[in-house]
Structures are given as structure tokens and as C-alpha cells.
Amino acid sequence: MELTRQQLEDGIKKAGILDINSATIRQIVGLSKAMEQETGEEYIHLELGNPGLMAEEIGIAAEKAALDRGVANKYPDITGVAELKTAGSKFVKAFLDIDVPSRCIIPTVGSMQACFTLMTLLKQKDPGKDSLLLFTPFFPAQSHQAKLIGFNRVTMDIADYRGDKLRGRLEELLSSGKFAAMLYSNPNNPSWSNFTDKELKIIGEMATKYDVPVIEDLAYLGMDFRKDFSKPYQPPFIPTVAKYTNNYILLISASKIFSYAGQRVAIVCMSPEVYSRNYPEIERFYEMPNFGDAYIFGVLYMASSGVAHSAQFAMAEMLERAADGTLPFIAHTKEYGRRGGRMRQIFEDNGFHLVYAKDGEDEISDGFFFTVGYGNLTSEELQKELMRFGVCTIPLPSTGSTKDGVRVCVSMMTDEKHFDTLGKRLKRFHETHQLINQS
């Protein structure tokens, strides 16, 4: 496959994409599908983070059993079914070694809904705090959510502030008193870098010092495969900012860790201190005594009136079985590390380099994502040129990054032929661009 530049530009125009650097993931998916129809050839899809593994059978069986018990004709409790709240509390103790009471475990329609609804409430809690600190690069949808809500978005590239540099930069930003919250994913989407314990301690201390809640998105929980986090209630535990502050909100989704994306279920884990916190503006607006109640009954209920009843029982069972050691979910997700290592080698063999290559002094782990650049091509140029050769990614500017390159997701590489095709297309890409550079 090799499109002409004009063919691709015509496709971009038809897709209504004004700037490919700021296009949403779904827009790029739509563009690649249109190009497939035009050429009659399948793209290598590295843009969309769909799970590339089968959903956990334990969850499917539990959901079927719940439906057979008749839950489909009953509205779920907006606070969450008791089984899920209890299992969630056990799970975070087993793998993160933190204590979150069951009342502070709240189901949501995926972490997307969790993030959006939390931002809504956090924006209201203090009229004087109108800014959200986004650690970049980030999952693009979260930045769009913040924009919709009206947050002033302030970004900080994690690669530029590792170790002790992080403290100085956070002091500089948070001391302004204008921040309502901080948000990041760990492991990071898309760079796949991980904060060290030292860095999490710094973030936690700053969250406490300046009273800025941290939203820690753990969508890829346990997927730093350089360490074995698979044994519940045994060290090493999965790193989290919750070890270093009580001013935290954790997001744990079933989508990637259990490959249960289609049922849209996640849990919000609030510290008891965040849940019980009283804000005069929230009490006035919602007529509810604390942050947690306002979140559940004032915001979540308005957004969806609860999470699908059967999906809650599915997640409850998966969390419970993971905590008791009978669901080895980390062993299952290690497949992404294998794919990532193999794909990374294919890219590097064809002249590409990692953009975000280090966790401090260490090389990043192989996992669900990685980032690559090529020569002196800009992000826009690289995105378009890869698409011409039948490889679809997303450009790094759409993730808030100021660095040139693209994000690669490994999840859709489910067949041996995908690796062969990727290798052939990148080889052709490399040969073509070497000739261009030589001329």
C-alpha cells in the first residue's frame, strides 16, 4: 500500500479534519477506514486502544448469572452494589496496599465518565480555582473533557521534570492557588513512562501542601512489567500517589486490566478525607453535606442514573477473584509487553527512534503504548507519511506533547500476519525516505 499525498489530503478533507495534529482518535480511525475503502487494503491499526485480549471469562460468567437472577429489570443502586464496593476495597488493598473503605468505592460508566463527572464537581468546589494541571503527554479525551467543562488547562511535560525538577515546577505552579486538581495516568498514556516512588512522593506532598486533589488514572494498572506486581497482599505493590497523600482520587477501569471495555464499567476510589470534605459552594449548590455525596447523588445520578446492573456484578467478581489470587490478570496482560517489545524492534530496525525513551535513568517498559519519531519529520509529516504507507497512529501534539512523533498502540496486533505486514510497510517507508534524504 502506498497512497499519493494528494489521495491522503483529499481523504483528510472529506473526513472534515482541519488539523491532523489536533484530530481526535475517532476522527483518525474514521479517516483510516475511509482510506481502506478507497484502496481495498487493510491498514495496520496502531491508533485505537481497544483491548487485544479476550474478556475475562470470570466476568462474563458473573454477568450472565446476574442477568439470570433478574437484575435487568431493576435500577442499580447509584452508590454501587455492595459486592462491587467490598471487592473494590479488597482489590486496592491487595495490589496497592492502601485502605479505601467500601463507601468510598463508587462505580462509573468507565473511567471516561468518572473523569468527566469528577472534573465537573472539582470545577465547582472553589470558584477561585479555575485551572486543571494536566501532566503531558495525556489521553487526548481528558483534555477535551476539561475544555468542555471550562477549565483553564495548564500542561507540564513529564519528560522535562523528572526527579527533583518535579518539586520545583510543582511549587512554581501550585503556589499560584488557582488549581482545582491535578490529573495524570500511570503508566502514562501515551509515553508508557512511570513515575518513580520519589516522584509520587513529591506529587503527594504538593497535593497536601497546596490542597490540590490528585486524580490518578490507573487504566493500565500493574502493566509496568519490569516488576512483578502479580501477587496480592505481597510486595512489591503497584506504586500510587495514595501512599503519600490523603488528597487523592483513583480511577480503576475494567477495560484494559480485564479486557472488559465493551461493558463500560470502572470504579472511583476516593480517600475518606476527600469523600468527607465539605466545601461551602458545593453544599450551597447541591444541598448535600460533603464532596462524596455530591458526587454520587448530585453529579453521577444526573449523568447516567447508575452503572449497568449486570456489569457491576461482573467487575465485582473480577476484582474479588484477582484479590484472592484466582484471576491472574497481570499474567494475562503481559502479552502486551511481548507485542510491544517485538513492535519496538521492528520500528527501530527501520530507522525510527523512541521519543519518550526513559523513566528517569531507566529505559521504559514494553507495554500497551510507545512513542516513535523518524529523522527530522514533524509530527504532522510523520502521521501523514505513515498513513500513506498503510500504518495508522496518532500524532503526539494531540496528546499535549511538544515533541515530534506519533503514539503507537500494540493492542490490535493480534495476528502474526500483522507483524509481517508492519515490517514490510515500515521497510518500504524507510527505503523511500532514505532515497528522499539522499536526493
Side-chain angles (χ1 to χ4, degrees), residues 411-436:
S411 66
M412 303 302 287
M413 301 291 284
T414 56
D415 192 297
E416 187 64 30
K417 69 179 182 181
H418 294 149
F419 292 94
D420 293 339
T421 302
L422 176 64
K424 290 174 182 176
R425 291 182 182 179
L426 292 184
K427 182 179 180 182
R428 176 65 180 148
F429 174 99
H430 189 36
E431 289 171 346
T432 301
H433 287 83
Q434 278 183 314
L435 289 172
I436 292 171

mmCIF file of all heavy atoms in Angstrom, residues 411-436:
data_model
loop_
_atom_site.group_PDB
_atom_site.id
_atom_site.type_symbol
_atom_site.label_atom_id
_atom_site.label_comp_id
_atom_site.label_asym_id
_atom_site.label_seq_id
_atom_site.Cartn_x
_atom_site.Cartn_y
_atom_site.Cartn_z
ATOM 1 N N SER A 411 -2.218 -3.040 20.848
ATOM 2 C CA SER A 411 -3.295 -3.973 21.192
ATOM 3 C C SER A 411 -3.908 -4.675 19.986
ATOM 4 O O SER A 411 -4.367 -5.813 20.094
ATOM 5 C CB SER A 411 -4.391 -3.252 21.982
ATOM 6 O OG SER A 411 -5.033 -2.279 21.181
ATOM 7 N N MET A 412 -3.945 -4.008 18.834
ATOM 8 C CA MET A 412 -4.617 -4.590 17.673
ATOM 9 C C MET A 412 -3.720 -5.537 16.878
ATOM 10 O O MET A 412 -4.151 -6.107 15.875
ATOM 11 C CB MET A 412 -5.136 -3.476 16.757
ATOM 12 C CG MET A 412 -6.069 -2.503 17.461
ATOM 13 S SD MET A 412 -7.515 -3.285 18.202
ATOM 14 C CE MET A 412 -8.473 -3.655 16.752
ATOM 15 N N MET A 413 -2.489 -5.734 17.322
ATOM 16 C CA MET A 413 -1.568 -6.648 16.631
ATOM 17 C C MET A 413 -1.829 -8.069 17.131
ATOM 18 O O MET A 413 -1.058 -8.652 17.890
ATOM 19 C CB MET A 413 -0.130 -6.214 16.890
ATOM 20 C CG MET A 413 0.182 -4.805 16.426
ATOM 21 S SD MET A 413 0.177 -4.641 14.630
ATOM 22 C CE MET A 413 1.741 -5.415 14.235
ATOM 23 N N THR A 414 -2.931 -8.621 16.692
ATOM 24 C CA THR A 414 -3.413 -9.888 17.240
ATOM 25 C C THR A 414 -3.080 -11.102 16.373
ATOM 26 O O THR A 414 -3.379 -12.225 16.757
ATOM 27 C CB THR A 414 -4.935 -9.830 17.427
ATOM 28 O OG1 THR A 414 -5.546 -9.500 16.165
ATOM 29 C CG2 THR A 414 -5.314 -8.763 18.448
ATOM 30 N N ASP A 415 -2.456 -10.874 15.220
ATOM 31 C CA ASP A 415 -2.191 -11.971 14.289
ATOM 32 C C ASP A 415 -0.754 -11.861 13.790
ATOM 33 O O ASP A 415 -0.238 -10.753 13.599
ATOM 34 C CB ASP A 415 -3.179 -11.886 13.114
ATOM 35 C CG ASP A 415 -3.179 -13.145 12.258
ATOM 36 O OD1 ASP A 415 -2.134 -13.449 11.655
ATOM 37 O OD2 ASP A 415 -4.226 -13.818 12.190
ATOM 38 N N GLU A 416 -0.129 -12.993 13.565
ATOM 39 C CA GLU A 416 1.255 -12.998 13.087
ATOM 40 C C GLU A 416 1.406 -12.198 11.794
ATOM 41 O O GLU A 416 2.423 -11.521 11.582
ATOM 42 C CB GLU A 416 1.715 -14.445 12.867
ATOM 43 C CG GLU A 416 3.180 -14.591 12.522
ATOM 44 C CD GLU A 416 4.106 -14.140 13.633
ATOM 45 O OE1 GLU A 416 3.717 -14.244 14.813
ATOM 46 O OE2 GLU A 416 5.220 -13.669 13.320
ATOM 47 N N LYS A 417 0.390 -12.238 10.955
ATOM 48 C CA LYS A 417 0.487 -11.522 9.681
ATOM 49 C C LYS A 417 0.579 -10.012 9.891
ATOM 50 O O LYS A 417 1.144 -9.296 9.045
ATOM 51 C CB LYS A 417 -0.701 -11.859 8.779
ATOM 52 C CG LYS A 417 -2.035 -11.307 9.265
ATOM 53 C CD LYS A 417 -3.171 -11.651 8.302
ATOM 54 C CE LYS A 417 -4.493 -11.053 8.775
ATOM 55 N NZ LYS A 417 -5.625 -11.399 7.863
ATOM 56 N N HIS A 418 0.023 -9.509 11.010
ATOM 57 C CA HIS A 418 0.107 -8.082 11.283
ATOM 58 C C HIS A 418 1.559 -7.649 11.460
ATOM 59 O O HIS A 418 1.967 -6.589 10.977
ATOM 60 C CB HIS A 418 -0.703 -7.721 12.531
ATOM 61 C CG HIS A 418 -2.174 -7.906 12.369
ATOM 62 N ND1 HIS A 418 -3.007 -8.243 13.415
ATOM 63 C CD2 HIS A 418 -2.980 -7.804 11.283
ATOM 64 C CE1 HIS A 418 -4.246 -8.335 12.987
ATOM 65 N NE2 HIS A 418 -4.254 -8.073 11.700
ATOM 66 N N PHE A 419 2.341 -8.464 12.156
ATOM 67 C CA PHE A 419 3.755 -8.131 12.370
ATOM 68 C C PHE A 419 4.519 -8.181 11.048
ATOM 69 O O PHE A 419 5.362 -7.323 10.780
ATOM 70 C CB PHE A 419 4.376 -9.091 13.390
ATOM 71 C CG PHE A 419 3.851 -8.936 14.779
ATOM 72 C CD1 PHE A 419 2.791 -9.723 15.224
ATOM 73 C CD2 PHE A 419 4.387 -8.000 15.639
ATOM 74 C CE1 PHE A 419 2.291 -9.578 16.509
ATOM 75 C CE2 PHE A 419 3.890 -7.845 16.931
ATOM 76 C CZ PHE A 419 2.845 -8.641 17.363
ATOM 77 N N ASP A 420 4.217 -9.175 10.228
ATOM 78 C CA ASP A 420 4.876 -9.281 8.921
ATOM 79 C C ASP A 420 4.539 -8.078 8.049
ATOM 80 O O ASP A 420 5.419 -7.494 7.402
ATOM 81 C CB ASP A 420 4.447 -10.569 8.217
ATOM 82 C CG ASP A 420 4.950 -11.821 8.915
ATOM 83 O OD1 ASP A 420 5.936 -11.714 9.673
ATOM 84 O OD2 ASP A 420 4.355 -12.896 8.710
ATOM 85 N N THR A 421 3.253 -7.713 8.026
ATOM 86 C CA THR A 421 2.824 -6.577 7.208
ATOM 87 C C THR A 421 3.440 -5.279 7.711
ATOM 88 O O THR A 421 3.899 -4.443 6.917
ATOM 89 C CB THR A 421 1.287 -6.466 7.196
ATOM 90 O OG1 THR A 421 0.737 -7.687 6.706
ATOM 91 C CG2 THR A 421 0.827 -5.314 6.327
ATOM 92 N N LEU A 422 3.455 -5.102 9.037
ATOM 93 C CA LEU A 422 4.065 -3.899 9.604
ATOM 94 C C LEU A 422 5.530 -3.806 9.190
ATOM 95 O O LEU A 422 6.011 -2.739 8.779
ATOM 96 C CB LEU A 422 3.954 -3.917 11.134
ATOM 97 C CG LEU A 422 4.638 -2.752 11.873
ATOM 98 C CD1 LEU A 422 3.971 -1.426 11.522
ATOM 99 C CD2 LEU A 422 4.603 -2.980 13.384
ATOM 100 N N GLY A 423 6.252 -4.911 9.298
ATOM 101 C CA GLY A 423 7.659 -4.903 8.930
ATOM 102 C C GLY A 423 7.865 -4.530 7.468
ATOM 103 O O GLY A 423 8.752 -3.726 7.141
ATOM 104 N N LYS A 424 7.055 -5.074 6.592
ATOM 105 C CA LYS A 424 7.187 -4.782 5.162
ATOM 106 C C LYS A 424 6.865 -3.321 4.863
ATOM 107 O O LYS A 424 7.548 -2.669 4.058
ATOM 108 C CB LYS A 424 6.263 -5.701 4.365
ATOM 109 C CG LYS A 424 6.704 -7.164 4.350
ATOM 110 C CD LYS A 424 5.669 -8.057 3.667
ATOM 111 C CE LYS A 424 6.095 -9.525 3.711
ATOM 112 N NZ LYS A 424 5.059 -10.426 3.141
ATOM 113 N N ARG A 425 5.821 -2.804 5.486
ATOM 114 C CA ARG A 425 5.430 -1.417 5.206
ATOM 115 C C ARG A 425 6.435 -0.422 5.771
ATOM 116 O O ARG A 425 6.741 0.594 5.142
ATOM 117 C CB ARG A 425 4.019 -1.161 5.733
ATOM 118 C CG ARG A 425 2.971 -1.909 4.937
ATOM 119 C CD ARG A 425 1.548 -1.656 5.397
ATOM 120 N NE ARG A 425 0.615 -2.454 4.610
ATOM 121 C CZ ARG A 425 -0.695 -2.474 4.787
ATOM 122 N NH1 ARG A 425 -1.252 -1.726 5.749
ATOM 123 N NH2 ARG A 425 -1.466 -3.232 4.017
ATOM 124 N N LEU A 426 6.962 -0.694 6.961
ATOM 125 C CA LEU A 426 7.964 0.206 7.521
ATOM 126 C C LEU A 426 9.280 0.124 6.737
ATOM 127 O O LEU A 426 9.985 1.131 6.605
ATOM 128 C CB LEU A 426 8.202 -0.118 8.995
ATOM 129 C CG LEU A 426 7.046 0.185 9.949
ATOM 130 C CD1 LEU A 426 7.465 -0.085 11.402
ATOM 131 C CD2 LEU A 426 6.561 1.628 9.819
ATOM 132 N N LYS A 427 9.603 -1.042 6.227
ATOM 133 C CA LYS A 427 10.802 -1.179 5.391
ATOM 134 C C LYS A 427 10.653 -0.323 4.134
ATOM 135 O O LYS A 427 11.583 0.405 3.749
ATOM 136 C CB LYS A 427 11.027 -2.640 5.019
ATOM 137 C CG LYS A 427 12.291 -2.858 4.189
ATOM 138 C CD LYS A 427 12.485 -4.336 3.851
ATOM 139 C CE LYS A 427 13.755 -4.521 3.008
ATOM 140 N NZ LYS A 427 13.955 -5.938 2.621
ATOM 141 N N ARG A 428 9.478 -0.413 3.507
ATOM 142 C CA ARG A 428 9.220 0.404 2.321
ATOM 143 C C ARG A 428 9.249 1.896 2.668
ATOM 144 O O ARG A 428 9.810 2.714 1.925
ATOM 145 C CB ARG A 428 7.868 0.013 1.729
ATOM 146 C CG ARG A 428 7.415 0.850 0.535
ATOM 147 C CD ARG A 428 8.313 0.661 -0.655
ATOM 148 N NE ARG A 428 7.866 1.477 -1.777
ATOM 149 C CZ ARG A 428 8.673 2.009 -2.681
ATOM 150 N NH1 ARG A 428 9.994 1.813 -2.607
ATOM 151 N NH2 ARG A 428 8.184 2.728 -3.678
ATOM 152 N N PHE A 429 8.646 2.249 3.786
ATOM 153 C CA PHE A 429 8.668 3.639 4.274
ATOM 154 C C PHE A 429 10.107 4.114 4.426
ATOM 155 O O PHE A 429 10.480 5.192 3.953
ATOM 156 C CB PHE A 429 7.931 3.702 5.622
ATOM 157 C CG PHE A 429 8.001 5.034 6.319
ATOM 158 C CD1 PHE A 429 6.954 5.935 6.232
ATOM 159 C CD2 PHE A 429 9.112 5.388 7.086
ATOM 160 C CE1 PHE A 429 7.012 7.167 6.890
ATOM 161 C CE2 PHE A 429 9.177 6.608 7.735
ATOM 162 C CZ PHE A 429 8.129 7.498 7.635
ATOM 163 N N HIS A 430 10.924 3.304 5.086
ATOM 164 C CA HIS A 430 12.322 3.669 5.364
ATOM 165 C C HIS A 430 13.118 3.802 4.070
ATOM 166 O O HIS A 430 13.885 4.766 3.892
ATOM 167 C CB HIS A 430 12.935 2.597 6.274
ATOM 168 C CG HIS A 430 14.286 2.940 6.805
ATOM 169 N ND1 HIS A 430 14.657 4.227 7.166
ATOM 170 C CD2 HIS A 430 15.377 2.143 7.050
ATOM 171 C CE1 HIS A 430 15.909 4.214 7.613
ATOM 172 N NE2 HIS A 430 16.361 2.969 7.537
ATOM 173 N N GLU A 431 12.942 2.875 3.165
ATOM 174 C CA GLU A 431 13.663 2.939 1.885
ATOM 175 C C GLU A 431 13.283 4.198 1.118
ATOM 176 O O GLU A 431 14.146 4.887 0.561
ATOM 177 C CB GLU A 431 13.329 1.701 1.044
ATOM 178 C CG GLU A 431 13.928 0.415 1.573
ATOM 179 C CD GLU A 431 13.401 -0.817 0.848
ATOM 180 O OE1 GLU A 431 12.383 -0.703 0.118
ATOM 181 O OE2 GLU A 431 14.007 -1.892 1.024
ATOM 182 N N THR A 432 12.004 4.498 1.097
ATOM 183 C CA THR A 432 11.532 5.686 0.375
ATOM 184 C C THR A 432 12.111 6.960 0.972
ATOM 185 O O THR A 432 12.585 7.850 0.246
ATOM 186 C CB THR A 432 9.992 5.751 0.406
ATOM 187 O OG1 THR A 432 9.468 4.575 -0.201
ATOM 188 C CG2 THR A 432 9.481 6.987 -0.312
ATOM 189 N N HIS A 433 12.107 7.062 2.293
ATOM 190 C CA HIS A 433 12.577 8.292 2.931
ATOM 191 C C HIS A 433 14.091 8.401 2.944
ATOM 192 O O HIS A 433 14.636 9.510 2.951
ATOM 193 C CB HIS A 433 11.973 8.418 4.331
ATOM 194 C CG HIS A 433 10.507 8.770 4.282
ATOM 195 N ND1 HIS A 433 9.528 7.817 4.096
ATOM 196 C CD2 HIS A 433 9.863 9.956 4.332
ATOM 197 C CE1 HIS A 433 8.346 8.400 4.060
ATOM 198 N NE2 HIS A 433 8.521 9.699 4.194
ATOM 199 N N GLN A 434 14.766 7.268 2.908
ATOM 200 C CA GLN A 434 16.224 7.320 2.751
ATOM 201 C C GLN A 434 16.576 7.889 1.377
ATOM 202 O O GLN A 434 17.479 8.711 1.245
ATOM 203 C CB GLN A 434 16.811 5.922 2.886
ATOM 204 C CG GLN A 434 17.011 5.451 4.319
ATOM 205 C CD GLN A 434 17.670 4.090 4.394
ATOM 206 O OE1 GLN A 434 17.283 3.165 3.678
ATOM 207 N NE2 GLN A 434 18.658 3.972 5.246
ATOM 208 N N LEU A 435 15.838 7.471 0.337
ATOM 209 C CA LEU A 435 16.073 7.990 -1.009
ATOM 210 C C LEU A 435 15.793 9.477 -1.078
ATOM 211 O O LEU A 435 16.531 10.238 -1.715
ATOM 212 C CB LEU A 435 15.189 7.245 -2.010
ATOM 213 C CG LEU A 435 15.565 5.776 -2.293
ATOM 214 C CD1 LEU A 435 14.493 5.114 -3.142
ATOM 215 C CD2 LEU A 435 16.917 5.692 -2.985
ATOM 216 N N ILE A 436 14.721 9.928 -0.392
ATOM 217 C CA ILE A 436 14.389 11.350 -0.367
ATOM 218 C C ILE A 436 15.525 12.138 0.281
ATOM 219 O O ILE A 436 15.959 13.182 -0.209
ATOM 220 C CB ILE A 436 13.064 11.593 0.378
ATOM 221 C CG1 ILE A 436 11.880 11.019 -0.419
ATOM 222 C CG2 ILE A 436 12.841 13.079 0.639
ATOM 223 C CD1 ILE A 436 10.573 11.026 0.327
#
